[in-house]
C-alpha cells in the first residue's frame, strides 16, 4: 500500500472501508511525520491525544458500516478556527493563552463526520498577509525548493501552514480561510488544490474574524476529488451565522464526471496585467487549450472594473478589520500588558494592543480606522463599496451571457523567498492578491488547481471562478483541468 501519509482523502476512505488500513494507523503515520517536520513550521499546536481518541472512535464507526466519507481522515486545522480546549490564537500574541470553551461550526461538522484533528496550523496573524511572515509563531516554510538553491520559500498566506502541511504529506487535508486569496494563493505556491466556496456556503461562526463580509472557510487538499468530499462535510446552514445560506448541500463528489463538453469558459482580458511573467501567461494559455481539448468553448470576456479591485479590497478589508479587532483589549481574554502605577483603563488598552498586535495588523487597523473616520468615510469606504458593487455586476453580466466558469492565473509568480518582500513597500506584497481579491469582493466560488512547474522547478497554479452556489459545476471543470494537466510533482524531502 502507498505510504499512509501520501494517501488522498478518497484513497484513505476506500482503504479503511476495505480493511486495508485503519484510521489509527494513518493518524500515527501523520503524527510521526509531524514530529520530524518542525523545520517547516506548519503545526504550531500539536494534539496527538485528541487525534488518537478521534481515530479510535472513527475506526469503530467504520467497522459498524455507517461512517461518512470524512470518517477517520486526519486533518490539520488552521489556527483561526476555535477548537474547544485547544489554543486558538490566530497566530497573534494578543490571544496568547486563549483556549475556547466552544467549537467552531466547521470543526464541529468535520468532527461529527468522524474527521481527526492532528493539531493547529500556522498562518499570518489574524489572516493578514500573503507569505506567512506575520505569525507570532515564526514563519511557515514551503516544502518546495528552487532547483539548485536552498533558500527557504514562502508557502503563501495567510493559510501558509495549511498549504505546507498538505504539500509535505503531514496531514491528508487541512482547513483554510480565504478573505482575499488566502486559500487559493498558498495552494498554488505549494502545488495543491484550494477551494474558496461561495460566501455564505460555509458557516463563519467560531472562526476568528478578519473582514466579515469577505471571510470564507474552505478545504485545502491534495486533489479536486478530495476538495469535493471535504467541502460537503464543511457546508450547511448555520443559524448562528446570519450570513449562512439556507440552501441544500449537493453531493459535490458525484458532480465530478469530467465531462465539460459545451461548457463556456471565459478568459478575462483585464487579467493580462503589465509585467506578468511569460511563464504565467503560457500556463494560462495552456490551461485554456486543455479545457478546449476537453470540449469546452473558450470565450474572451471583459471584467472592466477589475483594475479597481485591489484598492477597493485594501479599503474594505482593513475597515472591517479595525472594527472586528476592537474587541481585543486585554480585559476578558488573551494577553494583557503589565501596567505602571497610575495607569488607567485607557493605558491598559493602548499598551495591550501595542504589545499584542504585530506590525502588519497595526498597519491595517490604522488604515481601517482612517478610512472609517468622519471626514474620509465617503471618500474612501463608501466609494470602495460602490466599486465592489460594480465588480459584482461585471461577473453577473458575464455569467448571464452564458459563461459557466472563468479561467485566470492564481498568482502573479511562483513562490518567492522568505524575507524577499518583507522589507519592500507593503504594496508589493499586496499585489500577490491581484488575481484573487475580485472573487471575495463578488462573493463567488474560486478554486486553485496546480497545472505546471516553472523553470526553477516550482509549482504554478491556475484559478477557476464559478457561478454563485454552483461549486459542483466549478469542481467538475477543475477536475477536467486537473486530469488534462496531469500534475503529480511532489517536493523533494529536505526537512
Amino acid at each position: 500500500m502507498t505510504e499512509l501519509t501520501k494517501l488522498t482523502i478518497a484513497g484513505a476512505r476506500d482503504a479503511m472501508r476495505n480493511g486495508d488500513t485503519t484510521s489509527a494507523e494513518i493518524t500515527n503515520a501523520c503524527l510521526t511525520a509531524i514530529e520530524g517536520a518542525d523545520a517547516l513550521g506548519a503545526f504550531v499546536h500539536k494534539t496527538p491525544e485528541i487525534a488518537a481518541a478521534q481515530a479510535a472512535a472513527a475506526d469503530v464507526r467504520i467497522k459498524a458500516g455507517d461512517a461518512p466519507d470524512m470518517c477517520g481522515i486526519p486533518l490539520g486545522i488552521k489556527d483561526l478556527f476555535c477548537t474547544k480546549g485547544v489554543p486558538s490564537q490566530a497566530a497573534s500574541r494578543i490571544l496568547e493563552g486563549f483556549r475556547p470553551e466552544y467549537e467552531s461550526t466547521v470543526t464541529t461538522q468535520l468532527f461529527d463526520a468522524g474527521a481527526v484533528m492532528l493539531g493547529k496550523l500556522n498562518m499570518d496573524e489574524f489572516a493578514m498577509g500573503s507569505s506567512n511572515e506575520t505569525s507570532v509563531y515564526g514563519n511557515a516554510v514551503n516544502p518546495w525548493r528552487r532547483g539548485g538553491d536552498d533558500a527557504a520559500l514562502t508557502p503563501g498566506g495567510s493559510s501558509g501552514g495549511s498549504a505546507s502541511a498538505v504539500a509535505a504529506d503531514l496531514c491528508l487535508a487541512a482547513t483554510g480561510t480565504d478573505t482575499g486569496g488566502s486559500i487559493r494563493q498558498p495552494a498554488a505556491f505549494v502545488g495543491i488544490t484550494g477551494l474558496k466556496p461561495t460566501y455564505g456556503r460555509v458557516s463563519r461562526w467560531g472562526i476568528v474574524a478578519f473582514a466579515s463580509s469577505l471571510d470564507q472557510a474552505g478545504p485545502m487538499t491534495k486533489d479536486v476529488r478530495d476538495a469535493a468530499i471535504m467541502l460537503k462535510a464543511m457546508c450547511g446552514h448555520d443559524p448562528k451565522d446570519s450570513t449562512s445560506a439556507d440552501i441544500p448541500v449537493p453531493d459535490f463528489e458525484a458532480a465530478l464526471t469530467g465531462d465539460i463538453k459545451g461548457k463556456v469558459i471565459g478568459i478575462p482580458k483585464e487579467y493580462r496585467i503589465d509585467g506578468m511573467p511569460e511563464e504565467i501567461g503560457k500556463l494560462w494559455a495552456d490551461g485554456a487549450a486543455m479545457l478546449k481539448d476537453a470540449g469546452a468553448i473558450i470565450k474572451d470576456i471583459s471584467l472592466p472594473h477589475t483594475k479597481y479591485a485591489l484598492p477597493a479590497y485594501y479599503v474594505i478589508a482593513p475597515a472591517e478589520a479595525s472594527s472586528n479587532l476592537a474587541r481585543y483589549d486585554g480585559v476578558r481574554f488573551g494577553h494583557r500588558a503589565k501596567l505602571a502605577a497610575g495607569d488607567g483603563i485607557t493605558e491598559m488598552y493602548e499598551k495591550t494592543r501595542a504589545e499584542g498586535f504585530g506590525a502588519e495588523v497595526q498597519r491595517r487597523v490604522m488604515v481601517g480606522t482612517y478610512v472609517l473616520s468622519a471626514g474620509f468615510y465617503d471618500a474612501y469606504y463608501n466609494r470602495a463599496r460602490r466599486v465592489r458593487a460594480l465588480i459584482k455586476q461585471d461577473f453577473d453580466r458575464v455569467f448571464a451571457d452564458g459563461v459557466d466558469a472563468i479561467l485566470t492565473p492564481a498568482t502573479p509568480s511562483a513562490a518567492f523567498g522568505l524575507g524577499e518582500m518583507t522589507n519592500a513597500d507593503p504594496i508589493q506584497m499586496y499585489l500577490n492578491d491581484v488575481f484573487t481579491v475580485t472573487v471575495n469582493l463578488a462573493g463567488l466560488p474560486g478554486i486553485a488547481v496546480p497545472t505546471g512547474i516553472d523553470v526553477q522547478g516550482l509549482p504554478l497554479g491556475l484559478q477557476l471562478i464559478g457561478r454563485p452556489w454552483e461549486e459542483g459545476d466549478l469542481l467538475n471543470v477543475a477536475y477536467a483541468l486537473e486530469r488534462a494537466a496531469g500534475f503529480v510533482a511532489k517536493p523533494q524531502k529536505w526537512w
Side-chain angles (χ1 to χ4, degrees), residues 370-387:
Y370 176 80
V371 301
L372 290 176
S373 58
F376 302 101
Y377 188 89
D378 279 331
Y380 292 104
Y381 184 65
N382 264 345
R383 186 173 292 181
R385 284 170 62 198
R386 288 198 292 274
V387 168

Side-chain angles (χ1 to χ4, degrees), residues 202-231:
V202 176
S203 172
R204 292 181 298 107
W205 194 84
I207 300 171
V208 177
F210 164 11
S212 301
S213 75
L214 300 163
D215 298 343
Q216 192 62 188
M220 300 182 72
T221 58
K222 296 180 185 181
D223 62 22
V224 172
R225 182 174 297 279
D226 283 6
I229 295 168
M230 186 168 167
L231 178 64

Side-chain angles (χ1 to χ4, degrees), residues 18-262:
N18 296 338
D20 297 334
T21 187
T22 63
S23 176
E25 288 170 348
I26 302 172
T27 299
N28 285 334
C30 288
L31 291 170
T32 302
I34 291 164
E35 281 309 312
D38 285 347
L40 293 173
F43 276 87
V44 291
H45 299 293
K46 300 169 188 174
T47 56
E49 296 86 1
I50 292 171
Q54 288 175 329
D59 283 331
V60 171
R61 279 177 84 173
I62 291 165
K63 265 210 175 101
D66 63 343
D69 287 337
M70 286 298 294
C71 192
I73 305 296
L75 303 176
I77 304 296
K78 186 176 179 178
D79 195 40
L80 209 60
F81 292 79
C82 287
T83 42
K84 188 174 180 180
V86 176
S88 304
Q89 269 185 253
S92 180
R93 188 180 175 203
I94 208 156
L95 278 171
E96 209 164 32
F98 176 55
R99 293 172 183 260
E101 287 301 312
Y102 53 89
E103 194 73 52
S104 77
T105 297
V106 167
T107 49
T108 298
Q109 289 181 189
L110 287 168
F111 300 154
D112 286 350
V116 174
M117 178 171 72
L118 298 164
K120 302 297 284 289
L121 294 163
N122 206 346
M123 55 178 280
D124 279 296
E125 184 181 5
F126 282 104
M128 297 181 194
S130 304
S131 63
N132 215 130
E133 292 175 276
T134 68
S135 169
V136 72
Y137 308 118
N139 301 337
V141 181
N142 196 323
W144 292 80
R145 291 270 164 98
R146 297 182 187 120
D149 185 349
D150 285 343
L153 303 179
T154 175
S158 65
S159 308
S162 302
S164 179
V166 175
D169 294 319
L170 306 184
C171 52
L172 272 54
T175 62
T177 61
D178 192 310
T179 306
S182 286
I183 285 174
R184 291 159 290 148
Q185 182 249 23
F189 274 5
V190 301
I192 64 169
T193 299
L195 173 67
K196 175 227 169 280
T198 310
Y199 182 79
R201 175 64 96 175
V202 176
S203 172
R204 292 181 298 107
W205 194 84
I207 300 171
V208 177
F210 164 11
S212 301
S213 75
L214 300 163
D215 298 343
Q216 192 62 188
M220 300 182 72
T221 58
K222 296 180 185 181
D223 62 22
V224 172
R225 182 174 297 279
D226 283 6
I229 295 168
M230 186 168 167
L231 178 64
K232 187 182 178 192
M234 293 174 73
C235 285
H237 177 57
D238 178 13
K240 296 199 289 287
D241 175 3
S242 62
T243 62
S244 171
D246 191 3
I247 56 173
V249 178
D251 184 344
F252 297 115
E253 189 183 8
L256 303 181
T257 62
D259 179 7
I260 58 166
K261 286 185 182 63

